[in-house]
Amino acid sequence: MEIIHSPLEQTYSAEGHTLCIQIYRSADSLWILEVEDERGTSTVWDDQFETDQAALEAALSEIEAEGIHSFLTDAPKAAQPPTGTHDLFEPLSDEELDELDQFLLYEVDTEEGMTLDTLDGFLHAIAIGPEFIHPHQWLPKVWGTADGETPAMPSVEVFNRVLQLLMRHYNGIVSGYAAQPPELCPVWGVRTTDSGEFDDAEMWAYGFSEGVRLNPSAWQALLHDPEGQRWYRPIGLLGEDAFSTDQDALTETPAQRAALAAEIESSLLRIHAFWLPVRQAINERQRAQRMSTKVGRNEPCPCGSGKKFKKCCGGPLALH
């Protein structure tokens, strides 16, 4: 399924923060409205729109009415989400995780599509890595499509539902790392043998390594750092095919693999802390670049006032 993006997609800046307004549709659907904050967390409107202009006007109206902070990950949550939106900050329930699992197993008709545990590892790498990666870049890996298209879906309603589940799961991971203290809940299975039950994180680790491979050059600072190598080691041993010469000896039994899985949460916290200053610096640089670009007269003023440019710094008495 081809995704069509509106030329009206734009950024909105106010009070030192920037939101990205995404407007897109499939060939046989109405326009979908998504607002993304600086951490990559999304708010998607439940209602779809006849025109992309109507979607844009709805986004601007809601942001101005509710305030930009109501769309930010680290802002205190309001008692109710903005009118007409679905709360994509809420982690998936066990029932919703099962729903997503069943969809990935039985509804995605591609050989390379991800299972839930692979997806979870993949999204962890994207959430804590050195650079923000837009969903339109990583979703084809989830579907397992080489051409970047969305596979055939039973209906537009199913597509929207699955997209919401995916984004909520990603947002839940991001929010977990932002919590104080962090709340990590990696999703992987349990293998039962004659010796007992053991955590089975191999496909989760494979998913994480696939997330790293989205931009391997960006990860080199950590992978070449002695401490970073130690943190990544349990993930690499479980998830990569030829990670080290002693890999087979260290992963031979379920107990050995479970012991490596037990190290992963601690590693994730350290990897997240390693890349956090880099991600913050990139966000600040990108915000500065957006502030320095040419602004349309009807776009939000880059000074952060929340007013349109023509009503603020772009007015006839204030243009500078």
Side-chain angles (χ1 to χ4, degrees), residues 158-180:
V158 170
F159 168 70
N160 289 333
R161 173 61 175 167
V162 172
L163 185 62
Q164 286 185 348
L165 291 175
L166 284 169
M167 293 312 303
R168 276 184 57 202
H169 191 47
Y170 170 73
N171 291 344
I173 292 170
V174 172
S175 298
Y177 283 100
Q180 295 297 328

PDB file of all heavy atoms in Angstrom, residues 158-180:
ATOM      1  N   VAL A 158      -8.282  -1.501   9.320  1.00  0.00           N
ATOM      2  CA  VAL A 158      -7.250  -2.366   9.908  1.00  0.00           C
ATOM      3  C   VAL A 158      -5.890  -1.681   9.850  1.00  0.00           C
ATOM      4  O   VAL A 158      -5.122  -1.711  10.819  1.00  0.00           O
ATOM      5  CB  VAL A 158      -7.207  -3.722   9.181  1.00  0.00           C
ATOM      6  CG1 VAL A 158      -5.976  -4.528   9.606  1.00  0.00           C
ATOM      7  CG2 VAL A 158      -8.471  -4.512   9.461  1.00  0.00           C
ATOM      8  N   PHE A 159      -5.584  -1.048   8.713  1.00  0.00           N
ATOM      9  CA  PHE A 159      -4.319  -0.326   8.589  1.00  0.00           C
ATOM     10  C   PHE A 159      -4.186   0.746   9.669  1.00  0.00           C
ATOM     11  O   PHE A 159      -3.145   0.861  10.325  1.00  0.00           O
ATOM     12  CB  PHE A 159      -4.219   0.316   7.204  1.00  0.00           C
ATOM     13  CG  PHE A 159      -3.096   1.310   7.072  1.00  0.00           C
ATOM     14  CD1 PHE A 159      -1.781   0.898   7.069  1.00  0.00           C
ATOM     15  CD2 PHE A 159      -3.365   2.669   6.962  1.00  0.00           C
ATOM     16  CE1 PHE A 159      -0.737   1.816   6.957  1.00  0.00           C
ATOM     17  CE2 PHE A 159      -2.345   3.592   6.851  1.00  0.00           C
ATOM     18  CZ  PHE A 159      -1.016   3.162   6.842  1.00  0.00           C
ATOM     19  N   ASN A 160      -5.238   1.529   9.870  1.00  0.00           N
ATOM     20  CA  ASN A 160      -5.190   2.584  10.880  1.00  0.00           C
ATOM     21  C   ASN A 160      -5.029   2.010  12.283  1.00  0.00           C
ATOM     22  O   ASN A 160      -4.283   2.552  13.108  1.00  0.00           O
ATOM     23  CB  ASN A 160      -6.465   3.430  10.810  1.00  0.00           C
ATOM     24  CG  ASN A 160      -6.513   4.285   9.566  1.00  0.00           C
ATOM     25  OD1 ASN A 160      -5.477   4.639   9.015  1.00  0.00           O
ATOM     26  ND2 ASN A 160      -7.709   4.616   9.114  1.00  0.00           N
ATOM     27  N   ARG A 161      -5.733   0.918  12.554  1.00  0.00           N
ATOM     28  CA  ARG A 161      -5.634   0.288  13.870  1.00  0.00           C
ATOM     29  C   ARG A 161      -4.220  -0.221  14.136  1.00  0.00           C
ATOM     30  O   ARG A 161      -3.647   0.006  15.210  1.00  0.00           O
ATOM     31  CB  ARG A 161      -6.636  -0.863  13.970  1.00  0.00           C
ATOM     32  CG  ARG A 161      -6.509  -1.718  15.234  1.00  0.00           C
ATOM     33  CD  ARG A 161      -6.746  -0.908  16.479  1.00  0.00           C
ATOM     34  NE  ARG A 161      -6.739  -1.745  17.674  1.00  0.00           N
ATOM     35  CZ  ARG A 161      -6.676  -1.270  18.919  1.00  0.00           C
ATOM     36  NH1 ARG A 161      -6.621   0.036  19.134  1.00  0.00           N
ATOM     37  NH2 ARG A 161      -6.684  -2.105  19.945  1.00  0.00           N
ATOM     38  N   VAL A 162      -3.640  -0.890  13.167  1.00  0.00           N
ATOM     39  CA  VAL A 162      -2.290  -1.432  13.349  1.00  0.00           C
ATOM     40  C   VAL A 162      -1.274  -0.307  13.480  1.00  0.00           C
ATOM     41  O   VAL A 162      -0.349  -0.374  14.300  1.00  0.00           O
ATOM     42  CB  VAL A 162      -1.931  -2.364  12.176  1.00  0.00           C
ATOM     43  CG1 VAL A 162      -0.472  -2.776  12.250  1.00  0.00           C
ATOM     44  CG2 VAL A 162      -2.823  -3.593  12.204  1.00  0.00           C
ATOM     45  N   LEU A 163      -1.439   0.751  12.687  1.00  0.00           N
ATOM     46  CA  LEU A 163      -0.533   1.888  12.794  1.00  0.00           C
ATOM     47  C   LEU A 163      -0.599   2.498  14.187  1.00  0.00           C
ATOM     48  O   LEU A 163       0.428   2.858  14.773  1.00  0.00           O
ATOM     49  CB  LEU A 163      -0.878   2.930  11.731  1.00  0.00           C
ATOM     50  CG  LEU A 163       0.069   4.125  11.636  1.00  0.00           C
ATOM     51  CD1 LEU A 163       1.473   3.677  11.260  1.00  0.00           C
ATOM     52  CD2 LEU A 163      -0.452   5.131  10.625  1.00  0.00           C
ATOM     53  N   GLN A 164      -1.798   2.610  14.742  1.00  0.00           N
ATOM     54  CA  GLN A 164      -1.938   3.143  16.096  1.00  0.00           C
ATOM     55  C   GLN A 164      -1.253   2.243  17.123  1.00  0.00           C
ATOM     56  O   GLN A 164      -0.562   2.719  18.030  1.00  0.00           O
ATOM     57  CB  GLN A 164      -3.417   3.304  16.448  1.00  0.00           C
ATOM     58  CG  GLN A 164      -4.090   4.479  15.771  1.00  0.00           C
ATOM     59  CD  GLN A 164      -5.526   4.660  16.237  1.00  0.00           C
ATOM     60  OE1 GLN A 164      -6.091   3.792  16.897  1.00  0.00           O
ATOM     61  NE2 GLN A 164      -6.117   5.781  15.879  1.00  0.00           N
ATOM     62  N   LEU A 165      -1.433   0.928  16.980  1.00  0.00           N
ATOM     63  CA  LEU A 165      -0.788  -0.003  17.915  1.00  0.00           C
ATOM     64  C   LEU A 165       0.733   0.092  17.831  1.00  0.00           C
ATOM     65  O   LEU A 165       1.427   0.101  18.858  1.00  0.00           O
ATOM     66  CB  LEU A 165      -1.242  -1.437  17.636  1.00  0.00           C
ATOM     67  CG  LEU A 165      -2.704  -1.773  17.955  1.00  0.00           C
ATOM     68  CD1 LEU A 165      -3.027  -3.193  17.510  1.00  0.00           C
ATOM     69  CD2 LEU A 165      -3.000  -1.607  19.441  1.00  0.00           C
ATOM     70  N   LEU A 166       1.250   0.168  16.613  1.00  0.00           N
ATOM     71  CA  LEU A 166       2.701   0.277  16.441  1.00  0.00           C
ATOM     72  C   LEU A 166       3.239   1.556  17.066  1.00  0.00           C
ATOM     73  O   LEU A 166       4.253   1.538  17.783  1.00  0.00           O
ATOM     74  CB  LEU A 166       3.046   0.242  14.950  1.00  0.00           C
ATOM     75  CG  LEU A 166       2.998  -1.117  14.266  1.00  0.00           C
ATOM     76  CD1 LEU A 166       3.096  -0.942  12.752  1.00  0.00           C
ATOM     77  CD2 LEU A 166       4.130  -2.007  14.763  1.00  0.00           C
ATOM     78  N   MET A 167       2.582   2.687  16.789  1.00  0.00           N
ATOM     79  CA  MET A 167       3.067   3.953  17.313  1.00  0.00           C
ATOM     80  C   MET A 167       2.924   4.015  18.828  1.00  0.00           C
ATOM     81  O   MET A 167       3.781   4.558  19.528  1.00  0.00           O
ATOM     82  CB  MET A 167       2.342   5.114  16.646  1.00  0.00           C
ATOM     83  CG  MET A 167       2.653   5.266  15.160  1.00  0.00           C
ATOM     84  SD  MET A 167       4.420   5.213  14.775  1.00  0.00           S
ATOM     85  CE  MET A 167       5.058   6.546  15.793  1.00  0.00           C
ATOM     86  N   ARG A 168       1.844   3.462  19.356  1.00  0.00           N
ATOM     87  CA  ARG A 168       1.707   3.444  20.815  1.00  0.00           C
ATOM     88  C   ARG A 168       2.783   2.581  21.463  1.00  0.00           C
ATOM     89  O   ARG A 168       3.301   2.911  22.530  1.00  0.00           O
ATOM     90  CB  ARG A 168       0.318   2.940  21.208  1.00  0.00           C
ATOM     91  CG  ARG A 168      -0.753   4.029  21.186  1.00  0.00           C
ATOM     92  CD  ARG A 168      -2.079   3.503  21.667  1.00  0.00           C
ATOM     93  NE  ARG A 168      -2.023   2.935  22.995  1.00  0.00           N
ATOM     94  CZ  ARG A 168      -2.896   2.064  23.495  1.00  0.00           C
ATOM     95  NH1 ARG A 168      -3.891   1.637  22.742  1.00  0.00           N
ATOM     96  NH2 ARG A 168      -2.773   1.618  24.714  1.00  0.00           N
ATOM     97  N   HIS A 169       3.113   1.470  20.820  1.00  0.00           N
ATOM     98  CA  HIS A 169       4.158   0.616  21.387  1.00  0.00           C
ATOM     99  C   HIS A 169       5.506   1.340  21.363  1.00  0.00           C
ATOM    100  O   HIS A 169       6.247   1.313  22.353  1.00  0.00           O
ATOM    101  CB  HIS A 169       4.241  -0.702  20.630  1.00  0.00           C
ATOM    102  CG  HIS A 169       5.092  -1.723  21.308  1.00  0.00           C
ATOM    103  ND1 HIS A 169       4.993  -2.016  22.657  1.00  0.00           N
ATOM    104  CD2 HIS A 169       6.099  -2.513  20.859  1.00  0.00           C
ATOM    105  CE1 HIS A 169       5.886  -2.935  22.988  1.00  0.00           C
ATOM    106  NE2 HIS A 169       6.575  -3.241  21.916  1.00  0.00           N
ATOM    107  N   TYR A 170       5.798   1.991  20.251  1.00  0.00           N
ATOM    108  CA  TYR A 170       7.043   2.775  20.166  1.00  0.00           C
ATOM    109  C   TYR A 170       7.052   3.900  21.200  1.00  0.00           C
ATOM    110  O   TYR A 170       8.029   4.100  21.928  1.00  0.00           O
ATOM    111  CB  TYR A 170       7.197   3.345  18.755  1.00  0.00           C
ATOM    112  CG  TYR A 170       8.311   4.358  18.629  1.00  0.00           C
ATOM    113  CD1 TYR A 170       9.641   3.968  18.652  1.00  0.00           C
ATOM    114  CD2 TYR A 170       8.027   5.717  18.497  1.00  0.00           C
ATOM    115  CE1 TYR A 170      10.663   4.896  18.538  1.00  0.00           C
ATOM    116  CE2 TYR A 170       9.032   6.648  18.384  1.00  0.00           C
ATOM    117  CZ  TYR A 170      10.352   6.231  18.398  1.00  0.00           C
ATOM    118  OH  TYR A 170      11.365   7.161  18.297  1.00  0.00           O
ATOM    119  N   ASN A 171       5.950   4.639  21.280  1.00  0.00           N
ATOM    120  CA  ASN A 171       5.862   5.732  22.239  1.00  0.00           C
ATOM    121  C   ASN A 171       5.983   5.232  23.674  1.00  0.00           C
ATOM    122  O   ASN A 171       6.558   5.905  24.537  1.00  0.00           O
ATOM    123  CB  ASN A 171       4.538   6.484  22.067  1.00  0.00           C
ATOM    124  CG  ASN A 171       4.480   7.263  20.769  1.00  0.00           C
ATOM    125  OD1 ASN A 171       5.499   7.491  20.124  1.00  0.00           O
ATOM    126  ND2 ASN A 171       3.291   7.643  20.357  1.00  0.00           N
ATOM    127  N   GLY A 172       5.403   4.041  23.944  1.00  0.00           N
ATOM    128  CA  GLY A 172       5.513   3.475  25.284  1.00  0.00           C
ATOM    129  C   GLY A 172       6.953   3.177  25.655  1.00  0.00           C
ATOM    130  O   GLY A 172       7.371   3.372  26.811  1.00  0.00           O
ATOM    131  N   ILE A 173       7.745   2.713  24.690  1.00  0.00           N
ATOM    132  CA  ILE A 173       9.164   2.461  24.940  1.00  0.00           C
ATOM    133  C   ILE A 173       9.885   3.769  25.228  1.00  0.00           C
ATOM    134  O   ILE A 173      10.657   3.884  26.190  1.00  0.00           O
ATOM    135  CB  ILE A 173       9.790   1.741  23.737  1.00  0.00           C
ATOM    136  CG1 ILE A 173       9.223   0.324  23.612  1.00  0.00           C
ATOM    137  CG2 ILE A 173      11.311   1.677  23.869  1.00  0.00           C
ATOM    138  CD1 ILE A 173       9.613  -0.379  22.321  1.00  0.00           C
ATOM    139  N   VAL A 174       9.626   4.789  24.391  1.00  0.00           N
ATOM    140  CA  VAL A 174      10.255   6.102  24.593  1.00  0.00           C
ATOM    141  C   VAL A 174       9.893   6.669  25.966  1.00  0.00           C
ATOM    142  O   VAL A 174      10.757   7.156  26.706  1.00  0.00           O
ATOM    143  CB  VAL A 174       9.824   7.077  23.475  1.00  0.00           C
ATOM    144  CG1 VAL A 174      10.310   8.490  23.772  1.00  0.00           C
ATOM    145  CG2 VAL A 174      10.363   6.607  22.129  1.00  0.00           C
ATOM    146  N   SER A 175       8.614   6.602  26.320  1.00  0.00           N
ATOM    147  CA  SER A 175       8.159   7.130  27.605  1.00  0.00           C
ATOM    148  C   SER A 175       8.767   6.363  28.770  1.00  0.00           C
ATOM    149  O   SER A 175       9.046   6.937  29.824  1.00  0.00           O
ATOM    150  CB  SER A 175       6.629   7.078  27.685  1.00  0.00           C
ATOM    151  OG  SER A 175       6.041   7.874  26.681  1.00  0.00           O
ATOM    152  N   GLY A 176       8.970   5.056  28.587  1.00  0.00           N
ATOM    153  CA  GLY A 176       9.574   4.256  29.642  1.00  0.00           C
ATOM    154  C   GLY A 176      10.975   4.720  29.985  1.00  0.00           C
ATOM    155  O   GLY A 176      11.350   4.791  31.165  1.00  0.00           O
ATOM    156  N   TYR A 177      11.757   5.055  28.973  1.00  0.00           N
ATOM    157  CA  TYR A 177      13.112   5.553  29.234  1.00  0.00           C
ATOM    158  C   TYR A 177      13.090   6.960  29.834  1.00  0.00           C
ATOM    159  O   TYR A 177      13.997   7.338  30.586  1.00  0.00           O
ATOM    160  CB  TYR A 177      13.932   5.558  27.943  1.00  0.00           C
ATOM    161  CG  TYR A 177      14.417   4.191  27.527  1.00  0.00           C
ATOM    162  CD1 TYR A 177      13.747   3.471  26.544  1.00  0.00           C
ATOM    163  CD2 TYR A 177      15.537   3.612  28.115  1.00  0.00           C
ATOM    164  CE1 TYR A 177      14.186   2.215  26.159  1.00  0.00           C
ATOM    165  CE2 TYR A 177      15.977   2.355  27.734  1.00  0.00           C
ATOM    166  CZ  TYR A 177      15.293   1.659  26.763  1.00  0.00           C
ATOM    167  OH  TYR A 177      15.730   0.412  26.390  1.00  0.00           O
ATOM    168  N   ALA A 178      12.064   7.745  29.505  1.00  0.00           N
ATOM    169  CA  ALA A 178      11.979   9.112  30.027  1.00  0.00           C
ATOM    170  C   ALA A 178      11.470   9.156  31.459  1.00  0.00           C
ATOM    171  O   ALA A 178      11.621  10.167  32.146  1.00  0.00           O
ATOM    172  CB  ALA A 178      11.061   9.940  29.130  1.00  0.00           C
ATOM    173  N   ALA A 179      10.856   8.062  31.930  1.00  0.00           N
ATOM    174  CA  ALA A 179      10.311   8.037  33.295  1.00  0.00           C
ATOM    175  C   ALA A 179      11.437   8.077  34.322  1.00  0.00           C
ATOM    176  O   ALA A 179      12.578   7.708  34.051  1.00  0.00           O
ATOM    177  CB  ALA A 179       9.465   6.781  33.487  1.00  0.00           C
ATOM    178  N   GLN A 180      11.095   8.521  35.508  1.00  0.00           N
ATOM    179  CA  GLN A 180      12.045   8.560  36.620  1.00  0.00           C
ATOM    180  C   GLN A 180      11.508   7.768  37.798  1.00  0.00           C
ATOM    181  O   GLN A 180      10.565   8.209  38.431  1.00  0.00           O
ATOM    182  CB  GLN A 180      12.333  10.015  37.023  1.00  0.00           C
ATOM    183  CG  GLN A 180      13.035  10.820  35.959  1.00  0.00           C
ATOM    184  CD  GLN A 180      14.419  10.282  35.631  1.00  0.00           C
ATOM    185  OE1 GLN A 180      15.099   9.731  36.502  1.00  0.00           O
ATOM    186  NE2 GLN A 180      14.829  10.434  34.388  1.00  0.00           N
TER     187      GLN A 180
END
